[in-house]
Amino acid sequence: MANWKSARPPQAITLDGQWSRLEPLTAAQHGHSIWLAVNGHDSVWTWLSDGPYAREEDCLQALHAKENDNASRFFAILPKQPSGTTAAAGYASLMRIDPPNGVIEVGNIMFSPQLQRTRAATEGIYLMTRYVFEELGFRRYEWKCNALNLPSRRAAERFGFTFEGIFRQHMVIKGRSRDSAWYSMLDSEWPDRKLTFERWLDPANFDTEGNQIQSLTSLANTSK
């Protein structure tokens, strides 16, 4: 580690891809479209520390707090539509930012129903991961979730994170004790993970109806 240099903290920049665009989250710019995407879908908040919200005003207030959170960097996720229009359908954040040790976490991930199981969602994670390793110079990328949150755990594994263990009684969320499942990805692992992401995101991997031909997991297995 003689040549180690501290990583750089994430900035308020736009990350642009084929299927999605990530923008610095602001309540004014993205709040209404996010509200429209989640209104009536309270289940999206089940594993998050906030929500659900009965009124748009309350949701916007929460988004405004995220926008001004100095400890995290929130990105709105905007799927690109065939018509060329975009509207925020979820968000994710870079958090627990530790540049001197080169450690950062992706968390507070909220995918509305219209974003779940889409190319835009997967590409959003890809764009953030590429930014963390290639532009900011972090060496460890973390994913943590409630140990009971099986969809999040499956997502972490699908995206190429390695399971490291369970931290018992790690947090209290919404009045409930939470055991946390910890996952990580290292900078040395990123080149292979990047190749898998890009093979999956290639338009040739989807049929005319937008269905995947090969899954991200199968592509990861064939590249080993």
Side-chain angles (χ1 to χ4, degrees):
M1 299 298 293
N3 296 320
W4 165 249
K5 295 181 180 179
S6 177
R8 297 188 298 110
Q11 303 299 309
I13 67 168
T14 295
L15 305 174
D16 198 35
Q18 298 178 85
W19 314 109
S20 63
R21 185 171 72 249
L22 274 60
E23 299 175 349
L25 176 68
T26 68
Q29 185 175 358
H30 307 110
H32 182 62
S33 61
I34 288 177
W35 170 250
L36 293 177
V38 301
N39 187 26
H41 302 285
D42 288 356
S43 61
V44 301
W45 306 103
T46 298
W47 303 105
L48 294 172
S49 60
D50 64 320
Y53 300 101
R55 303 185 309 159
E56 181 175 359
E57 293 82 358
D58 297 329
C59 183
L60 293 179
Q61 184 176 2
L63 294 176
H64 186 70
K66 292 174 172 58
E67 172 187 348
N68 291 285
D69 182 355
N70 293 324
S72 303
R73 178 69 67 187
F74 277 84
F75 291 91
I77 303 174
L78 292 75
K80 293 184 176 180
Q81 305 298 333
S83 63
T85 61
T86 57
Y91 57 75
S93 76
L94 295 174
M95 54 189 287
R96 303 190 188 281
I97 303 164
D98 182 3
N101 290 304
V103 180
I104 195 168
E105 178 182 343
V106 59
N108 283 313
I109 300 170
M110 194 285 290
F111 290 167
S112 70
Q114 71 185 72
L115 190 57
Q116 294 168 10
R117 297 179 176 273
T118 65
R119 285 177 280 189
T122 294
E123 187 177 55
I125 297 297
Y126 162 76
L127 291 171
M128 293 180 72
T129 309
R130 186 179 67 180
Y131 178 55
V132 160
F133 285 127
E134 297 186 10
E135 297 189 41
L136 301 180
F138 282 87
R139 65 194 195 99
R140 175 181 167 87
Y141 193 38
E142 297 180 335
W143 178 298
K144 304 185 186 80
C145 63
N146 191 311
L148 298 176
N149 187 352
L150 297 183
S152 183
R153 296 185 66 172
R154 287 193 293 267
E157 293 167 2
R158 175 177 177 267
F159 293 140
F161 288 80
T162 298
F163 176 63
E164 295 185 326
I166 302 294
F167 278 50
R168 299 179 300 167
Q169 295 188 8
H170 175 229
M171 303 174 73
V172 177
I173 301 293
K174 295 178 178 175
R176 295 184 178 183
S177 180
R178 169 180 140 169
D179 294 347
S180 294
W182 285 45
Y183 295 81
S184 72
M185 186 187 301
L186 305 182
D187 55 352
S188 59
E189 299 167 335
W190 171 237
D192 284 342
R193 305 294 192 273
K194 178 182 181 180
L195 179 61
T196 300
F197 270 114
E198 293 181 347
R199 289 175 64 193
W200 188 85
L201 291 166
D202 190 324
N205 189 44
F206 297 88
D207 63 22
T208 55
E209 296 182 352
N211 300 309
Q212 67 178 2
I213 296 172
Q214 293 190 77
S215 69
L216 195 61
T217 301
S218 66
L219 287 170
N221 291 334
T222 57
S223 65
K224 291 180 180 178

